[in-house]
Amino acid sequence: MKITIDIHMIINGTRALQSGVFQVNREVDIPSVAYNWIRSVRRQTGYYGDESMIEKVVWNADNNITDEVKKIDDAPIIGPHHL
Protein backbone atom coordinates (compact mmCIF):
# COMPACT_ATOMS: atom_id res chain seq x y z
CA MET A 1 0.00 0.00 0.00
CA LYS A 2 1.11 3.57 -0.60
CA ILE A 3 1.14 5.90 2.38
CA THR A 4 2.11 9.49 3.08
CA ILE A 5 4.48 10.09 5.99
CA ASP A 6 4.93 13.53 7.55
CA ILE A 7 7.93 14.11 9.78
CA HIS A 8 8.11 17.16 12.01
CA MET A 9 11.61 17.79 13.33
CA ILE A 10 13.60 20.51 15.01
CA ILE A 11 16.87 20.78 13.11
CA ASN A 12 19.50 23.11 14.55
CA GLY A 13 16.77 25.08 16.35
CA THR A 14 14.49 25.41 13.31
CA ARG A 15 11.22 23.54 12.89
CA ALA A 16 11.06 21.51 9.70
CA LEU A 17 8.30 19.48 8.05
CA GLN A 18 8.89 16.97 5.30
CA SER A 19 6.28 14.83 3.57
CA GLY A 20 6.84 11.83 1.35
CA VAL A 21 4.99 8.94 -0.25
CA PHE A 22 6.23 5.42 0.50
CA GLN A 23 5.30 1.91 -0.53
CA VAL A 24 4.93 -0.47 2.43
CA ASN A 25 3.82 -4.08 2.53
CA ARG A 26 2.67 -4.21 6.15
CA GLU A 27 1.43 -1.56 8.55
CA VAL A 28 3.84 -2.85 11.19
CA ASP A 29 6.75 -1.72 8.95
CA ILE A 30 5.71 1.95 8.85
CA PRO A 31 7.68 3.14 11.94
CA SER A 32 10.89 1.61 10.52
CA VAL A 33 10.28 3.19 7.12
CA ALA A 34 9.74 6.58 8.79
CA TYR A 35 12.87 6.18 10.92
CA ASN A 36 15.02 5.27 7.91
CA TRP A 37 13.78 8.41 6.18
CA ILE A 38 14.66 10.49 9.27
CA ARG A 39 18.17 8.99 9.19
CA SER A 40 18.43 10.08 5.56
CA VAL A 41 17.35 13.63 6.47
CA ARG A 42 19.97 13.69 9.22
CA ARG A 43 22.68 12.56 6.81
CA GLN A 44 21.65 15.24 4.30
CA THR A 45 21.61 18.05 6.88
CA GLY A 46 24.59 16.87 8.91
CA TYR A 47 22.67 17.40 12.16
CA TYR A 48 22.33 14.57 14.69
CA GLY A 49 21.38 14.07 18.35
CA ASP A 50 20.11 17.18 20.12
CA GLU A 51 20.57 19.21 16.94
CA SER A 52 18.04 17.01 15.11
CA MET A 53 15.06 16.14 17.30
CA ILE A 54 11.97 14.23 16.24
CA GLU A 55 8.92 16.27 17.16
CA LYS A 56 6.07 14.34 15.50
CA VAL A 57 5.62 11.58 12.92
CA VAL A 58 2.28 10.74 11.32
CA TRP A 59 1.17 8.67 8.37
CA ASN A 60 -1.86 9.39 6.20
CA ALA A 61 -2.48 12.48 8.37
CA ASP A 62 -4.29 10.70 11.24
CA ASN A 63 -1.98 7.93 12.42
CA ASN A 64 0.50 9.24 14.98
CA ILE A 65 3.56 6.97 15.24
CA THR A 66 5.82 9.42 17.07
CA ASP A 67 6.34 7.19 20.11
CA GLU A 68 7.18 4.12 18.01
CA VAL A 69 9.71 6.06 15.90
CA LYS A 70 11.30 7.65 18.98
CA LYS A 71 11.73 4.17 20.52
CA ILE A 72 13.66 3.09 17.44
CA ASP A 73 15.71 6.30 17.58
CA ASP A 74 16.53 5.80 21.28
CA ALA A 75 17.43 2.11 20.95
CA PRO A 76 21.12 1.33 21.42
CA ILE A 77 23.06 0.43 18.32
CA ILE A 78 24.18 -3.19 18.55
CA GLY A 79 27.34 -4.01 16.65
CA PRO A 80 28.62 -7.42 15.54
CA HIS A 81 30.54 -7.86 18.82
CA HIS A 82 27.19 -8.02 20.68
CA LEU A 83 25.80 -10.93 18.67
Side-chain angles (χ1 to χ4, degrees), residues 9-27:
M9 298 177 68
I10 301 174
I11 300 173
N12 195 28
T14 302
R15 282 199 157 90
L17 165 64
Q18 294 207 11
S19 296
V21 176
F22 298 87
Q23 179 71 37
V24 295
N25 294 323
R26 302 176 305 159
E27 190 172 317

Side-chain angles (χ1 to χ4, degrees), residues 3-76:
I3 61 163
T4 300
I5 297 176
D6 299 325
I7 56 172
H8 301 253
M9 298 177 68
I10 301 174
I11 300 173
N12 195 28
T14 302
R15 282 199 157 90
L17 165 64
Q18 294 207 11
S19 296
V21 176
F22 298 87
Q23 179 71 37
V24 295
N25 294 323
R26 302 176 305 159
E27 190 172 317
V28 70
D29 296 331
I30 296 172
S32 294
V33 170
Y35 178 69
N36 285 329
W37 186 31
I38 289 169
R39 286 181 59 202
S40 175
V41 169
R42 287 176 170 162
R43 281 192 301 274
Q44 291 172 3
T45 63
Y47 291 104
Y48 299 88
D50 290 341
E51 295 178 322
S52 177
M53 296 183 299
I54 299 167
E55 192 171 41
K56 182 174 155 185
V57 183
V58 294
W59 66 276
N60 288 355
D62 328 332
N63 303 286
N64 190 325
I65 55 171
T66 306
D67 290 340
E68 294 95 322
V69 174
K70 284 184 174 183
K71 283 180 189 172
I72 297 168
D73 191 38
D74 292 339

